[in-house]
Short mmCIF file of all heavy atoms in Angstrom, two decimals:
data_model
loop_
_atom_site.label_atom_id
_atom_site.label_comp_id
_atom_site.label_asym_id
_atom_site.label_seq_id
_atom_site.Cartn_x
_atom_site.Cartn_y
_atom_site.Cartn_z
N GLY E 35 -32.58 -10.72 -24.08
CA GLY E 35 -33.89 -10.27 -24.58
C GLY E 35 -33.90 -10.10 -26.09
O GLY E 35 -33.08 -10.66 -26.81
N ARG E 36 -34.84 -9.33 -26.53
CA ARG E 36 -35.04 -9.13 -27.97
C ARG E 36 -34.88 -7.63 -28.29
O ARG E 36 -35.33 -6.77 -27.53
CB ARG E 36 -36.46 -9.55 -28.38
CG ARG E 36 -36.86 -10.90 -27.85
CD ARG E 36 -36.42 -12.04 -28.73
NE ARG E 36 -37.18 -12.07 -29.98
CZ ARG E 36 -36.83 -12.87 -31.01
NH1 ARG E 36 -35.77 -13.63 -30.93
NH2 ARG E 36 -37.57 -12.87 -32.10
N PHE E 37 -34.27 -7.40 -29.43
CA PHE E 37 -34.05 -6.02 -29.87
C PHE E 37 -34.88 -5.80 -31.15
O PHE E 37 -34.76 -6.56 -32.11
CB PHE E 37 -32.55 -5.82 -30.16
CG PHE E 37 -32.21 -4.47 -30.72
CD1 PHE E 37 -32.53 -3.32 -30.01
CD2 PHE E 37 -31.56 -4.35 -31.94
CE1 PHE E 37 -32.19 -2.05 -30.54
CE2 PHE E 37 -31.22 -3.10 -32.47
CZ PHE E 37 -31.54 -1.97 -31.75
N ILE E 38 -35.71 -4.80 -31.08
CA ILE E 38 -36.66 -4.56 -32.17
C ILE E 38 -36.37 -3.26 -32.92
O ILE E 38 -36.07 -2.23 -32.30
CB ILE E 38 -38.10 -4.51 -31.58
CG1 ILE E 38 -38.46 -5.91 -31.04
CG2 ILE E 38 -39.12 -4.05 -32.60
CD1 ILE E 38 -39.13 -5.92 -29.73
N LEU E 39 -36.44 -3.34 -34.24
CA LEU E 39 -36.22 -2.14 -35.04
C LEU E 39 -37.57 -1.68 -35.59
O LEU E 39 -38.31 -2.46 -36.18
CB LEU E 39 -35.24 -2.44 -36.20
CG LEU E 39 -34.95 -1.26 -37.14
CD1 LEU E 39 -34.32 -0.10 -36.35
CD2 LEU E 39 -34.04 -1.69 -38.27
N ARG E 40 -37.83 -0.41 -35.37
CA ARG E 40 -39.12 0.13 -35.79
C ARG E 40 -38.88 1.45 -36.53
O ARG E 40 -38.21 2.33 -36.00
CB ARG E 40 -39.99 0.37 -34.56
CG ARG E 40 -41.37 0.87 -34.90
CD ARG E 40 -42.25 0.83 -33.67
NE ARG E 40 -42.04 1.96 -32.79
CZ ARG E 40 -42.06 1.87 -31.46
NH1 ARG E 40 -42.23 0.73 -30.84
NH2 ARG E 40 -41.90 2.95 -30.73
N ILE E 41 -39.41 1.54 -37.71
CA ILE E 41 -39.20 2.74 -38.50
C ILE E 41 -40.41 3.67 -38.30
O ILE E 41 -41.53 3.30 -38.63
CB ILE E 41 -39.06 2.38 -40.00
CG1 ILE E 41 -37.92 1.34 -40.20
CG2 ILE E 41 -38.81 3.65 -40.81
CD1 ILE E 41 -36.54 1.83 -39.89
N GLU E 42 -40.16 4.84 -37.78
CA GLU E 42 -41.26 5.77 -37.49
C GLU E 42 -41.42 6.73 -38.66
O GLU E 42 -40.88 7.82 -38.65
CB GLU E 42 -40.96 6.50 -36.17
CG GLU E 42 -40.62 5.50 -35.06
CD GLU E 42 -41.12 5.88 -33.69
OE1 GLU E 42 -41.05 7.07 -33.37
OE2 GLU E 42 -41.53 4.97 -32.94
N ASP E 43 -42.20 6.28 -39.61
CA ASP E 43 -42.32 7.00 -40.87
C ASP E 43 -43.66 7.70 -41.05
O ASP E 43 -44.13 7.87 -42.18
CB ASP E 43 -42.10 6.01 -42.02
CG ASP E 43 -43.02 4.79 -41.93
OD1 ASP E 43 -43.80 4.71 -40.96
OD2 ASP E 43 -42.94 3.93 -42.81
N THR E 44 -44.28 8.09 -39.93
CA THR E 44 -45.60 8.72 -40.07
C THR E 44 -45.53 10.13 -40.62
O THR E 44 -46.55 10.70 -41.01
CB THR E 44 -46.36 8.75 -38.73
OG1 THR E 44 -45.50 9.31 -37.75
CG2 THR E 44 -46.77 7.37 -38.32
N ASP E 45 -44.34 10.72 -40.63
CA ASP E 45 -44.21 12.04 -41.24
C ASP E 45 -43.98 11.82 -42.73
O ASP E 45 -42.86 11.77 -43.22
CB ASP E 45 -43.05 12.81 -40.62
CG ASP E 45 -42.95 14.22 -41.17
OD1 ASP E 45 -43.70 14.55 -42.10
OD2 ASP E 45 -42.14 15.01 -40.64
N VAL E 46 -45.09 11.68 -43.46
CA VAL E 46 -45.01 11.33 -44.87
C VAL E 46 -44.20 12.33 -45.68
O VAL E 46 -43.50 11.99 -46.61
CB VAL E 46 -46.44 11.19 -45.46
CG1 VAL E 46 -46.37 10.69 -46.88
CG2 VAL E 46 -47.26 10.25 -44.59
#
Side-chain angles (χ1 to χ4, degrees):
Chain E
R36 312 274 290 169
F37 176 58
I38 293 137
L39 179 60
R40 182 169 81 219
I41 306 294
E42 309 215 321
D43 54 359
T44 51
D45 184 352
V46 186

